[in-house]
Amino acid sequence: MRAILALVIALHVALALATSASGQSSEGSGRVESIVVEGNERIEGETIRSYMTIRVGDRFDPRVVDDSLKTLFATGLFRDVAIDRVGDSLVVRVIENPIINQVAFEGNDEIGDELLEGEVQLRPRMVYTVTRVQSDVQRMLEIYRRSGRFAATVEPKVIQLTQNRVNLVFEIDEGPVTQIKKIAFVGNRRFSDKELRSEIQTTESAWWRFLSTDDTYDPDRLTFDRELLRRFYLKNGYADFRVVSAVAELTQDRGVFFITFALEEGERYRFGKMDLKSAIPLDAAEPSEAADEAIARRGPGGVGIEELRALISSEPGDWYDADEIEASIQAMTDALGNQGYAFIDIEPRVKRDSEKRVIDVTYDIGEAPRVYVQRIDISGNVRTLDKVIRREFRLAEGDAFNTARYRRSERRVRNLGFFANVEVKAEPGDAADQTIITVKVQEQATGQLNFGAGFSTFDGPLIDIGVAESNFLGRGQKLRARASISSRRLFADIGFTEPYFLGRDITLGGDLFRRVTDFQTESSFDQEELGAGLRLGYSITEWLRHSLRYKLRQVDITDVDAFASRFIRDQEGKTLTSSIGQTFIYDRLDSFNTPTEGYSVQLQQDVAGLGGDVHWLRHELDYQYYYPFAEDWIGRFALSSGYIFGLGEDVNISDRFFIGGTRLRGFDTAGIGPRDIVTDDALGGNLYGVLSFQLGFPFGFLPRDFPVKGRVFSDIGTLTNIDESGPELVDNASPRVGVGIGASYLSPFGPVGIDVTQAVVKENFDDTELFRFSFGTRF
């Protein structure tokens, strides 16, 4: 028995060893007979197999199996993956990630769903993964940080649905705006913290800055502040200045920031020697040995070297100012650009003497050819015809390049008002002496269907209805029809203007109008006007324009109060005026719509008597001058005057001047001038003059791009001279003066204007006005 039992045990051990050896041999050298996929619900098994790097028929290789496992995880389709060998088969068990059914946001009041949806990557019908959710959370937190909310938190919540679907909800706690408590500077000896804080854009938080975001932390703004500080110190002579660091420290409760700038001011320098060198060849073919002498004598491109030196704004001994160097380079670039050098390069060579604390500057004008306009390329204009843009250019293809004309052309295209954005560039052409001017425009709506409502202290409540098209059929033609109704005025007109009649720079237009005005408060009568006019204008020079006009107007003085002045009662009834006139306009303003620099002069002359019932001659002059004292600090000086006199007859009240209201602030409409002291009726005058001084400025506690501007002003004016006479008539030509402050706001609902003016010099019979308010909207 023992022998038999020992034999059986020996046979089992041998069989086990043989089976083990066989299995080990099979694992190392067998082939995959099949790949079985388990656990998949939405994804086809064949799709899963296609992601794997091991295929049926391949040898079993643990490294290839591991690569397949990693590849399946990398698809992001599966929450878990396992690969096992069962005999000659591989069994792939997967747990699929759910599909997102809906993405929602809760608790976001300051930042809308649209902005958040545009930032997150997860969308409905996408595969949900924890990694993608965490990435989207960081994106949303970055949005809140950019808006100054560093205490914001985002918590993703998953709601399980049937068919392995989920709803993803981001629960947001926006928290308060993280404001800047303190801005400090270290290392500043020359300028105080207060002075430096006024030079940077970031501000300390204060209650009056509720409309500004400059008092919230923004890393990009802080980088810009470093540059602003550098410019400020370089402007004041500190050529070695540098910002060592700019650190923003957030308190533990994430409530406020403390910002510290560490500065190294260095020493202050003065300008030393100023020199000018040029490598531009002379126009004439002169001997090379005389080139230097010729340049010194005539200068490059016909511009004298001394003329270029005169454009250097700094003098030896002045405090070093990097802005003056840039201004000098720009002035010389413009002067040479007017000679055809479009791509001139002027490099300031700076030599610093640290012991003497002076900086020598040599302006090195690099070699450049004279350039001609190869062509003008226009793009972006879908509706506006090319010729409408080209005719505004003061340069034509084949012309020598000229910087002044180039900039004037860009300004004229902008002043059309047809485009939201205009970008004009001079780029190198096909040859070294050629340039291609590219014009890229972005069109905006030029047609308006307006229904407006508003209020003003003169008109009271008003309604404005109008249709206007300033770019009719893309040809630049202007067409308008408008009606305005208020408690004191009814106005309707229709007009058409062709800006380039017969393809030439000739403006031709026509108008029809009807106007009814209530002058009962000022002069105890109503006035009705009905008329038509023709207009023709053309350019004499680039800046001087002349226009001619003819107007036929019927005026009816009606509803004259029984107790009105006898001077008004005598003029009750209808008169027909047939007049011709001309206007000269010399315009050097930098912008037609919002001027900040330059001046304009306008002279008008009209004569009535070519038919009709009245005969007179009228002259009017308007002068405006704008000067930028600093950025957004714009000074305005204006002068206007007029004189009308009858040709063998008295001037009617409907043709006289009335001054006050917006033309002479501090005084009511028709508030000054000849008056019947018995009835207190304003009679108008034949001669007037008004001077106006105004300074517009931004409000420092508001964002720089916020459409609110303040102003301080003073108006001085007089109105005198009347044909009638009598004991009840008073006419005093003494000047009247109003001084005041005001503000204007371009609100989303329309422009709002407020002026508070005190009449400091007046006559006792004048009608004054302390407060003037206007508001209007169009939709």
Side-chain angles (χ1 to χ4, degrees):
M1 285 295 291
R2 290 180 179 178
I4 295 172
L5 182 57
L7 180 59
V8 170
I9 293 172
L11 290 173
H12 276 288
V13 170
L15 181 61
L17 290 173
T19 302
S20 174
S22 175
Q24 292 175 359
S25 175
S26 174
E27 181 176 347
S29 59
R31 295 184 180 277
V32 178
E33 298 294 335
S34 65
I35 299 176
V36 180
V37 178
E38 297 178 355
N40 54 315
E41 298 179 10
R42 300 184 315 275
I43 305 171
E44 296 290 337
E46 190 59 36
T47 301
I48 295 174
R49 283 188 283 268
S50 68
Y51 290 133
M52 301 173 64
T53 56
I54 194 168
R55 300 285 187 268
V56 174
D58 293 348
R59 291 185 177 276
F60 284 101
D61 188 335
R63 290 174 298 177
V64 179
V65 172
D66 186 57
D67 288 342
S68 298
L69 185 68
K70 293 177 180 178
T71 302
L72 290 175
F73 268 115
T75 63
L77 299 173
F78 310 105
R79 188 171 60 192
D80 192 21
V81 180
I83 302 178
D84 297 314
R85 177 180 176 181
V86 179
D88 293 332
S89 298
L90 283 180
V91 178
V92 182
R93 297 180 178 87
V94 298
I95 300 177
E96 295 176 348
N97 276 322
I99 294 294
I100 297 175
N101 178 65
Q102 182 181 1
V103 179
F105 306 92
E106 293 182 357
N108 54 312
D109 296 325
E110 298 297 327
I111 298 181
D113 287 1
E114 291 184 2
L115 180 58
L116 295 176
E117 288 171 356
E119 190 67 26
V120 300
Q121 302 296 312
L122 288 171
R123 297 285 188 274
R125 294 182 297 278
M126 289 184 64
V127 176
Y128 170 91
T129 68
V130 174
T131 303
R132 290 175 177 174
V133 172
Q134 292 174 344
S135 177
D136 282 347
V137 167
Q138 292 303 315
R139 288 189 178 93
M140 286 188 285
L141 288 175
E142 182 60 30
I143 291 177
Y144 277 101
R145 291 190 181 104
R146 289 201 300 264
S147 66
R149 297 177 180 272
F150 282 78
T153 60
V154 179
E155 186 71 24
K157 300 292 184 182
V158 177
I159 302 175
Q160 297 288 343
L161 303 176
T162 59
Q163 300 178 345
N164 200 22
R165 296 175 303 123
V166 296
N167 284 342
L168 178 60
V169 180
F170 292 100
E171 294 183 352
I172 303 171
D173 181 2
E174 295 180 319
V177 174
T178 310
Q179 297 180 326
I180 297 172
K181 181 68 174 178
K182 182 69 176 177
I183 301 176
F185 298 87
V186 177
N188 52 313
R189 304 185 310 274
R190 174 62 177 81
F191 300 100
S192 66
D193 284 15
K194 182 179 179 180
E195 289 177 292
L196 295 180
R197 278 194 289 266
S198 67
E199 294 298 326
I200 62 177
Q201 186 174 355
T202 305
T203 60
E204 294 178 348
S205 59
W207 65 268
W208 62 83
R209 294 196 174 104
F210 60 92
L211 293 176
S212 172
T213 60
D214 289 345
D215 60 349
T216 59
Y217 173 70
D218 185 338
D220 294 333
R221 189 188 300 129
L222 201 63
T223 301
F224 182 57
D225 288 338
R226 296 171 66 115
E227 176 63 18
L228 291 176
L229 288 171
R230 189 187 71 86
R231 294 178 189 175
F232 174 71
Y233 270 92
L234 288 179
K235 180 180 179 180
N236 286 278
Y238 292 87
D240 296 329
F241 170 82
R242 72 187 186 99
V243 180
V244 179
S245 64
V247 179
E249 297 178 277
L250 183 63
T251 56
Q252 291 185 351
D253 61 358
R254 294 180 173 268
V256 294
F257 271 101
F258 289 86
I259 295 179
T260 304
F261 291 93
L263 313 177
E264 282 187 7
E265 291 182 330
E267 299 296 337
R268 196 177 188 189
Y269 288 78
R270 293 183 183 272
F271 280 115
K273 297 178 182 179
M274 314 298 293
D275 200 2
L276 179 65
K277 295 182 180 180
S278 174
I280 298 177
L282 298 176
D283 297 332
E286 300 189 33
S288 58
E289 60 268 20
D292 292 338
E293 181 182 352
I295 288 179
R297 184 176 68 253
R298 285 175 34 200
V303 179
I305 205 75
E306 295 304 321
E307 294 173 315
L308 290 177
R309 289 184 189 277
L311 297 176
I312 301 176
S313 59
S314 50
E315 297 287 342
D318 292 347
W319 290 114
Y320 176 79
D321 186 343
D323 288 353
E324 285 193 9
I325 294 178
E326 291 299 321
S328 300
I329 292 174
Q330 187 61 54
M332 287 187 284
T333 300
D334 291 345
L336 293 171
N338 292 337
Q339 299 296 320
Y341 294 95
F343 306 111
I344 196 73
D345 182 25
I346 303 177
E347 183 72 23
R349 306 293 181 183
V350 175
K351 183 179 180 181
R352 186 176 312 179
D353 188 334
S354 300
E355 293 182 1
K356 296 181 180 179
R357 298 178 192 170
V358 296
I359 295 178
D360 299 334
V361 181
T362 300
Y363 295 92
D364 193 351
I365 302 175
E367 186 175 2
R370 241 183 188 156
V371 174
Y372 297 85
V373 179
Q374 179 181 349
R375 67 176 185 270
I376 300 174
D377 292 340
I378 301 173
S379 62
N381 53 318
V382 178
R383 180 167 172 266
T384 306
L385 301 180
D386 267 21
K387 68 177 184 180
V388 173
I389 301 175
R390 288 183 184 277
R391 68 194 184 193
E392 299 299 327
F393 264 77
R394 305 297 92 177
L395 288 169
E397 295 171 348
D399 288 352
F401 183 84
N402 182 287
T403 300
R405 293 182 180 180
Y406 168 80
R407 292 181 177 173
R408 174 65 175 164
S409 301
E410 180 179 8
R411 188 180 305 160
R412 287 174 64 93
V413 174
R414 292 183 187 277
N415 286 342
L416 288 173
F418 303 161
F419 310 109
N421 185 49
V422 177
E423 184 179 346
V424 182
K425 291 183 178 180
E427 300 177 345
D430 296 336
D433 63 344
Q434 292 182 332
T435 182
I436 299 173
I437 298 178
T438 61
V439 185
K440 295 181 181 180
V441 298
Q442 179 184 349
E443 291 186 318
Q444 64 183 0
T446 56
Q448 293 181 334
L449 174 61
N450 301 323
F451 178 81
F455 176 84
S456 74
T457 48
F458 175 75
D459 290 308
L462 61 90
I463 296 176
D464 187 14
I465 304 171
V467 177
E469 173 55 68
S470 58
N471 189 15
F472 186 60
L473 299 177
R475 299 176 179 273
Q477 298 167 335
K478 295 177 173 59
L479 178 66
R480 77 176 189 279
R482 179 188 168 197
S484 181
I485 304 172
S486 71
S487 60
R488 299 191 57 186
R489 196 196 306 261
L490 169 64
F491 175 75
D493 79 327
I494 182 171
F496 176 79
T497 302
E498 168 55 66
Y500 274 76
F501 182 60
L502 299 178
R504 298 179 178 271
D505 188 12
I506 299 175
T507 301
L508 180 66
D511 304 282
L512 295 171
F513 62 89
R514 182 174 186 269
R515 183 184 295 112
V516 179
T517 308
D518 178 357
F519 287 114
Q520 293 292 340
T521 302
E522 297 83 9
S523 304
S524 304
F525 71 92
D526 293 340
Q527 179 174 296
E528 297 183 14
E529 297 176 74
L530 181 64
L534 291 174
R535 296 171 278 110
L536 179 75
Y538 61 95
S539 294
I540 299 176
T541 67
E542 178 64 23
W543 313 103
L544 180 61
R545 191 167 184 85
H546 181 234
S547 63
L548 300 168
R549 60 184 169 274
Y550 172 77
K551 183 183 292 185
L552 185 65
R553 180 177 68 130
Q554 178 181 275
V555 178
D556 189 6
I557 304 297
T558 64
D559 296 330
V560 178
D561 190 275
F563 300 99
S565 171
R566 65 182 177 89
F567 304 114
I568 297 175
R569 293 199 306 269
D570 293 343
Q571 298 192 33
E572 187 172 9
K574 296 180 179 180
T575 57
L576 182 65
T577 302
S578 175
S579 64
I580 60 171
Q582 65 174 346
T583 300
F584 289 93
I585 300 178
Y586 188 74
D587 188 352
R588 296 303 300 265
L589 297 174
D590 63 339
S591 172
F592 177 78
N593 297 313
T594 56
T596 60
E597 188 175 7
Y599 65 94
S600 69
V601 183
Q602 178 174 299
L603 174 64
Q604 298 186 75
Q605 295 175 310
D606 293 272
V607 59
L610 299 178
D613 304 321
V614 297
H615 303 79
W616 47 253
L617 181 62
R618 180 174 61 202
H619 305 271
E620 284 192 85
L621 172 69
D622 287 286
Y623 173 79
Q624 295 186 81
Y625 176 74
Y626 290 84
Y627 182 80
F629 290 97
E631 185 179 3
D632 293 331
W633 289 74
I634 309 300
R636 176 181 178 269
F637 168 76
L639 165 66
S640 62
S641 63
Y643 179 53
I644 184 172
F645 59 91
L647 300 175
E649 61 186 48
D650 293 343
V651 178
N652 290 338
I653 192 171
S654 59
D655 297 316
R656 296 178 194 147
F657 302 110
F658 288 85
I659 301 298
T662 56
R663 298 192 69 178
L664 183 61
R665 289 165 289 191
F667 295 86
D668 203 353
T669 303
I672 70 169
R675 184 176 299 272
D676 187 323
I677 58 175
V678 176
T679 63
D680 197 35
D681 287 331
L683 303 178
N686 295 344
L687 175 65
Y688 81 92
V690 177
L691 285 172
S692 180
F693 304 89
Q694 178 173 296
L695 177 63
F697 57 88
F699 290 104
F701 56 86
L702 296 176
R704 299 186 181 185
D705 58 348
F706 199 72
V708 176
K709 304 295 181 183
R711 54 180 172 265
V712 294
F713 56 84
S714 177
D715 293 345
I716 306 171
T718 184
L719 174 65
T720 185
N721 197 305
I722 191 170
D723 298 317
E724 285 86 352
S725 61
E728 70 273 45
L729 177 64
V730 59
D731 181 7
N732 192 323
S734 64
R736 277 70 156 184
V737 180
V739 178
I741 60 174
S744 59
Y745 171 41
L746 188 59
S747 74
F749 307 101
V752 178
I754 299 175
D755 286 318
V756 179
T757 315
Q758 178 65 49
V760 294
V761 178
K762 61 181 179 178
E763 298 296 330
N764 56 8
F765 54 83
D766 292 337
D767 289 339
T768 60
E769 180 182 72
L770 176 65
F771 176 78
R772 177 167 285 265
F773 169 80
S774 64
F775 164 73
T777 187
R778 298 177 185 270
F779 49 90

